Amino acid sequence: MSKKEENGESRSAILLVHCPDRKGLVAAITEFIFKNEGNIIYLDQHVDTQEKVFFMRVEWDLKNFTIPAGKIGEYFHTLIAEKFGMKWSLYFSDYTPRMAVFVSKLPHCLHDILSRWQSEQWNVRIPVIISNHTDLESVASTHGIDYHVTPDVKENKKASEQKQLEILKQYDIDFVVLARYMQILSEDFVSHYPNRIINIHHSFLPAFPGARPYHSAYERGVKIIGATSHYVTADLDSGPIIEQNVVRITHKDSVEDLIRKGRDLEKVVLSQSIWYHLKRKILVYGNRTLIFD
Amino acid sequence: MSKKEENGESRSAILLVHCPDRKGLVAAITEFIFKNEGNIIYLDQHVDTQEKVFFMRVEWDLKNFTIPAGKIGEYFHTLIAEKFGMKWSLYFSDYTPRMAVFVSKLPHCLHDILSRWQSEQWNVRIPVIISNHTDLESVASTHGIDYHVTPDVKENKKASEQKQLEILKQYDIDFVVLARYMQILSEDFVSHYPNRIINIHHSFLPAFPGARPYHSAYERGVKIIGATSHYVTADLDSGPIIEQNVVRITHKDSVEDLIRKGRDLEKVVLSQSIWYHLKRKILVYGNRTLIFD
Amino acid sequence: MSKKEENGESRSAILLVHCPDRKGLVAAITEFIFKNEGNIIYLDQHVDTQEKVFFMRVEWDLKNFTIPAGKIGEYFHTLIAEKFGMKWSLYFSDYTPRMAVFVSKLPHCLHDILSRWQSEQWNVRIPVIISNHTDLESVASTHGIDYHVTPDVKENKKASEQKQLEILKQYDIDFVVLARYMQILSEDFVSHYPNRIINIHHSFLPAFPGARPYHSAYERGVKIIGATSHYVTADLDSGPIIEQNVVRITHKDSVEDLIRKGRDLEKVVLSQSIWYHLKRKILVYGNRTLIFD
Amino acid sequence: MSKKEENGESRSAILLVHCPDRKGLVAAITEFIFKNEGNIIYLDQHVDTQEKVFFMRVEWDLKNFTIPAGKIGEYFHTLIAEKFGMKWSLYFSDYTPRMAVFVSKLPHCLHDILSRWQSEQWNVRIPVIISNHTDLESVASTHGIDYHVTPDVKENKKASEQKQLEILKQYDIDFVVLARYMQILSEDFVSHYPNRIINIHHSFLPAFPGARPYHSAYERGVKIIGATSHYVTADLDSGPIIEQNVVRITHKDSVEDLIRKGRDLEKVVLSQSIWYHLKRKILVYGNRTLIFD
């Protein structure tokens, strides 16, 4: 029995679906849930009329649901998904995902993550923090989280990533958060966690990709700066965007002011996207995300 | 044949529904559409888990739909709505609503409305503008819109409103927009157009209701000002809120600056809410709105 | 006697200054004004501590000022500016600038500009509108503004711009506004109006420069779109940014929705920057602007 | 020698002034600084033309300044302030203020404050945290900060506040931050720290003062929620506003969602206002603040 069930909260199933659009898709899925005594507590669907693709996120209460949780995927696949050529993912609200945090030297995103975790805002486990520096080791130990320093990637990137992958496996990690981790991950590394590595970039992408975006923003004389969280792909700063936010600046703001103001954006935008990920609100299609908020 | 159909665009039906929540509601409605060969192009539902109320907006293409448009309401009521105790409204995308605009002396909201109407951003007819002043008569005549000046409400509110209601009836008006119309409508007047009179209030409600909100905002020393559009009810500035927006101010801004900055909010917020209304995206429940955007 | 003076408003002088930073600059300038019986009604200064440059905008009431308006520049130059190596501009609040608007086919920015002009929000004259199309001629004629269609630039850009420059000269134009004018101006044309041509670009620059930015934004899957007004330079979409604003979008927004939402940004951002320009609140330094708001 | 001086940073003086407006005020103050070899690094002035009051914040480098720091106030008062009836405050950039934090049970604002303090974003000392509950004691001890639990105010408010005042005196506290401290301070308590107690209220004041503002916001159906930081006065939630920020909500957001989204506003708005306070950027006049940002 999960903690939520003990608390009297019920367990729900979350289904994310996409397929070519046609008539009867919503009817088929909702009928499947209804006939088996599920009570829908959230349903949002979207049709990309340009590309003629159907998307849906549906969540239903499993209390009284006649199909056992472990069999839902199989039944849904056989009875519904195959017929319509659906790609789907199924999650359960009572599973607590395991997250690893990668950091370098900057602490603000890590602090923000840990304070949410500590105050139980999120349903997540954080067994390990990985870094290329020792600076934030004490933060980890304060919170009783293991901290691993991996070899400097500049000298041997392959060895470093190999070690990181081993750690992730060892801790049975579901997804990775790069909390201002100032290293570029290789295509091979990324391929192990597709749409499961979240990065925060300190600019309003696609403006100012790469290094030192605040300096570039200052040079260009923009009046608004931003931060962008995205899933990491093999192309730097080009993965599917999850969340963005912005703040106004003026000519009075120096580069240091941009960095200071940007920190508040970065931590909130990153944490917002982690929350979306944990709540299974994100569906990635091509290089874009649908956020069922 | 409507203009849209001539253009090759298809005609769609829009259904707004709410009822006590229970299992099978989405399945029943989507099944009704699917069985009759309708293709859903938009579906959004929401469950108020606190009050246990189910809400849905669904839009489907009428091409090939087997029930004639004029019979859809009857069939839906008999086959689905009665069974579940649903309250519902049905609209068709090819009907062009008829809107009356009430103004006093300030022109910015009227200008904004007319420029959108003139450039065909909106599917709306504006046959008449009503005012308690003659100031904006030339704006109306420039656009070939009738302009009626009704008696000053201070002297005889009842007579004035009676005249206004006659005009609205004469022009077969569907809904009314108060574009900075600086008069309070009586409960009787409002009762003729429930959830069909849209007002713009020049503050971030519920802060600063009533007269001279920018002066009050200045006095209070707020750092952000706002504008609020809402459906008019018998209680002043207390009707269901449709849209709000805000802008930052500083101590350098005088009351005149607030008025200037506020104007840009007012016109955009009001026009946004007219657009929601025209697109049938608003469902009013109690004193709140659901915006299916 | 200017209209403002007739209204009892007093006339003021506005001085924009920049020079290498050193001690005593503010003291010297304010002393100059004070000694000659000027009352400062606005003063804002900024020091770029990185580049060690001093910037100031000061505005003072000319009532009782002992130096005649026509001589202020000369006196200031001789007594103050030369000593400190200042670059400066002097304006008077009672001069009404003459603005030309360039348009193509899209009307929303033009409508917004004309409604502000018509309702006397701005102290500006608009004697002429120039276009490469005839579409908006009726809008101009409604407002009693001359409308000139210049030859299609694709066939003969040089001839077209030559004609435009003649028109600007003929109407004694102070500055030009490109209100969604979908043509690129040559370096030669721009050189006639340095920091006096204001453009609105329909993206959050430097993201998505060039053509079809809303399509690009949609493709990239950004969560926020923007609009940017800037002074035009020889480099496309790279001139000094005056104002930017943004609005949130979601996966539900099609390209058409972005265009619709973007229009409201474009017109407000462009009009805001025209207001800054008219109020002499902009100081251009390098490729950046200081906005003394 | 201060830490900043050791780092090669220079020490500056910050002067906040207001007085009845008249000619020559800026000239007099800047002349005073310039004549004594001070280099102005920031100057911003504002004239309230309605009330005819002059405000200024000026900061200058003390390197080479001929008046010793300890004598600047006296000299300024005698030579300048008395003549013009100025009220003024003088601060030095190398003094590190001592701040006490009051908390109840909610940790998010405290976490945010401590993470900024720990990562040395702020020049502040936090020797003590005071609470009416023991919940956050471990957070304090983790950071090596003393934690005092004062008697429950409901039983004996006077005794509780007496104890709190003693603690503040004992730790030589300059200013107090109420980080979601859910108790109302008495007029007497507040009188000991005028404009030196900063509170965060979880609404967009003046909307929804008092208890449970998120519930009220939900009931009213607003489309935007906010947070407000202000100096505490004897009137609840009515003190001078320092900073506000807002976030959009929709009908999909439950009260719990508002609380979650609001937390991110609260912590950022509160921390922003602490930063303004530490940087001496706030001038309180009547019940309003000027933020010299």
Side-chain angles (χ1 to χ4, degrees), chain C residues 18-263:
Chain C
H18 67 91
C19 65
D21 191 31
R22 48 173 285 189
K23 279 182 198 170
L25 293 166
V26 178
I29 295 171
T30 58
E31 190 77 4
F32 170 79
I33 296 167
F34 173 55
K35 286 275 171 70
N36 293 295
E37 304 294 338
N39 190 29
I40 292 171
I41 52 183
Y42 177 96
L43 182 150
D44 198 1
Q45 63 102 50
H46 173 66
V47 176
D48 183 327
T49 51
Q50 203 78 21
E51 302 207 21
K52 303 199 187 309
V53 183
F54 169 87
F55 303 91
M56 193 162 92
R57 182 185 185 274
V58 60
E59 183 168 358
W60 69 98
D61 194 332
L62 288 178
K63 198 178 158 190
N64 302 329
F65 198 59
T66 51
I67 306 173
K71 291 282 181 183
I72 295 173
E74 183 190 322
Y75 278 50
F76 179 74
H77 191 72
T78 306
L79 297 174
I80 310 288
E82 277 197 328
K83 182 176 163 192
F84 296 101
M86 290 174 179
K87 302 211 166 159
W88 56 274
S89 317
L90 181 68
Y91 305 98
F92 297 100
S93 65
D94 61 347
Y95 176 73
T96 302
R98 298 174 66 82
M99 166 172 127
V101 185
F102 281 44
V103 295
S104 289
K105 295 182 169 189
L106 291 170
H108 57 284
C109 287
L110 180 62
H111 277 140
D112 197 65
I113 287 167
L114 295 179
S115 78
R116 291 169 200 265
W117 166 74
Q118 191 183 340
S119 54
E120 295 180 27
Q121 286 183 33
W122 290 344
N123 178 37
V124 71
R125 287 202 177 82
I126 308 179
V128 64
I129 295 170
I130 295 174
S131 182
N132 50 340
H133 294 282
T134 55
D135 301 55
L136 300 176
E137 187 151 23
S138 65
V139 178
S141 68
T142 295
H143 289 84
I145 299 173
D146 291 354
Y147 190 89
H148 290 266
V149 179
T150 51
D152 190 347
V153 298
K154 274 160 202 156
E155 287 163 20
N156 195 335
K157 184 163 187 159
K158 197 157 183 178
S160 178
E161 291 197 342
Q162 202 51 48
K163 180 65 187 156
Q164 291 170 342
L165 286 170
E166 280 164 25
I167 296 168
L168 296 181
K169 198 172 175 190
Q170 171 195 338
Y171 285 92
D172 199 15
I173 292 303
D174 292 305
F175 73 108
V176 173
V177 170
L178 309 183
R180 297 299 310 275
Y181 177 66
M182 311 300 273
Q183 301 294 332
I184 297 169
L185 300 176
S186 74
E187 185 167 353
D188 175 65
F189 185 98
V190 173
S191 71
H192 287 78
Y193 292 89
N195 295 332
R196 291 193 285 144
I197 306 173
I198 299 174
N199 184 42
I200 180 73
H201 183 73
H202 40 314
S203 86
F204 185 81
L205 287 174
F208 313 123
R212 295 166 64 87
Y214 291 127
H215 291 77
S216 303
Y218 180 85
E219 288 303 320
R220 181 60 189 91
V222 293
K223 299 301 183 187
I224 290 174
I225 57 168
T228 304
S229 62
H230 61 94
Y231 285 120
V232 176
T233 57
D235 290 331
L236 181 64
D237 298 332
S238 299
I241 292 172
I242 303 170
E243 171 70 344
Q244 301 187 292
N245 210 344
V246 295
V247 67
R248 280 199 173 270
I249 57 168
T250 77
H251 64 267
K252 295 186 182 177
D253 291 304
S254 64
V255 172
E256 287 66 39
D257 291 319
L258 303 200
I259 291 170
R260 176 179 56 81
K261 293 188 171 184
R263 269 194 305 246

Side-chain angles (χ1 to χ4, degrees), chain B residues 253-287:
Chain B
D253 290 305
S254 64
V255 172
E256 287 67 39
D257 291 321
L258 303 200
I259 291 170
R260 176 178 57 81
K261 292 187 171 183
R263 270 193 304 245
D264 282 5
L265 286 179
E266 294 162 25
K267 70 185 190 189
V268 171
V269 167
L270 178 58
S271 289
Q272 179 66 50
S273 65
I274 295 170
W275 188 82
Y276 285 145
H277 186 91
L278 290 170
K279 289 286 187 177
R280 315 301 188 181
K281 288 174 177 286
I282 311 175
L283 196 162
V284 177
Y285 182 74
N287 202 45

